[in-house]
Amino acid sequence: MPGCSPMYWVTRDEGDPYADYVIAHLWFDGDIIDRSQFAATYSYANGATLSASRTIFGAGTSLDTTYATNPGLYYAAYVSGGGAHLSPGNYEFTIEFWYYEFGSGSGAPGNQYHFSFYNQATGQTFRIYSPSFKGNIAFDLSGGPNSGISTVSAGWHYVACARLGNTYEMWIDGVLAQTVTNSIMDMGTHNSGTYNIWIGSGSTYGSAYATSYSNFRFTRRYRDCSVIPTAPFPDPVP
């Protein structure tokens, strides 16, 4: 794998064949512990909490970002983390999570972000967002083009964004929904520089998405996203 020495990854077998390449893994079930081998520190911001109000897979809690710092204007509750290990490189990755969609409606200005990756060295970003605050989802990346916009119904949804070479895909509930080609986006060289991710917000925007999140996983490999998970992602920590 480009950018990784043969001994960089710790070999482990906990039911996930890609466990060696998972760079962030948070269940949001009772904690915000990173279950990847990096055990990175993640922090709450602006009122993000764990809540039992909406859960999936029998979990006790999920990440709740419905806290409004400025009621009626925008939301800014999220969990974030940083570190050199968060660079997925410039060839392939898969970002997966479950989020709860309230359905159509309005209540915040502009794009509302679910996830953001930020390369501090280049200033480039990859973001997953809802253009109309509720009822749809898309992604954008530095250099464009932005993806198309997919409509989503109320309830829990499995969302995955994957990259293979210069092709970026968005999968919704196991169905390929959007595809774009981009040869400009610089996701960074693994294990160098500083990289950050936000779950429930965007790196350059003061607004997050009012919803719940569960089972977030960021893998430095292209995964099969056509199969909807029926259980939490395997825990790669031995």
Side-chain angles (χ1 to χ4, degrees):
M1 187 66 188
C4 292
S5 65
M7 294 302 294
Y8 186 84
W9 301 102
V10 177
T11 302
R12 57 193 68 219
D13 182 10
E14 294 294 318
D16 179 359
Y18 295 98
D20 291 351
Y21 302 96
V22 174
I23 55 180
H25 183 176
L26 296 91
W27 281 346
F28 301 126
D29 187 6
D31 57 53
I32 55 171
I33 292 173
D34 176 17
R35 287 172 164 78
S36 77
Q37 61 184 292
F38 298 99
T41 299
Y42 285 80
S43 302
Y44 299 105
N46 299 334
T49 61
L50 296 178
S51 171
S53 61
R54 291 175 294 274
T55 60
I56 192 170
F57 302 139
T61 64
S62 62
L63 176 65
D64 187 352
T65 62
T66 57
Y67 175 82
T69 59
N70 193 347
L73 292 179
Y74 63 84
Y75 293 84
Y78 58 92
V79 164
S80 64
H85 69 282
L86 286 170
S87 166
N90 278 315
Y91 181 67
E92 58 182 304
F93 70 79
T94 305
I95 299 161
E96 306 162 271
F97 59 88
W98 285 83
Y99 90 101
Y100 189 87
E101 172 60 56
F102 285 102
S104 61
S106 61
N111 300 329
Q112 302 299 298
Y113 286 88
H114 298 283
F115 168 84
S116 179
F117 167 89
Y118 178 59
N119 180 337
Q120 186 170 315
T122 64
Q124 294 190 325
T125 60
F126 177 88
R127 297 181 290 238
I128 303 170
Y129 67 104
S130 288
S132 300
F133 183 69
K134 294 179 181 178
N136 54 29
I137 194 167
F139 68 88
D140 66 9
L141 61 166
S142 296
N146 296 346
S147 77
I149 300 172
S150 296
T151 301
V152 287
S153 60
W156 281 101
H157 292 279
Y158 167 61
V159 175
C161 283
R163 176 187 184 181
L164 186 61
N166 293 326
T167 300
Y168 293 77
E169 303 171 343
M170 172 176 280
W171 295 73
I172 302 173
D173 297 327
V175 177
L176 180 60
Q178 305 290 342
T179 303
V180 304
T181 300
N182 177 300
S183 60
I184 300 173
M185 176 68 189
D186 183 2
M187 301 296 279
T189 301
H190 181 75
N191 209 30
S192 65
T194 300
Y195 308 91
N196 299 274
I197 61 173
W198 287 257
I199 303 166
S201 186
S203 59
T204 59
Y205 290 78
S207 55
Y209 196 78
T211 187
S212 296
Y213 296 95
S214 184
N215 282 269
F216 173 86
R217 183 171 61 181
F218 193 173
T219 305
R220 198 168 181 261
R221 277 290 191 270
Y222 181 89
R223 288 180 176 270
D224 178 6
C225 305
S226 65
V227 179
I228 304 174
T230 57
F233 296 137
D235 190 342
V237 175

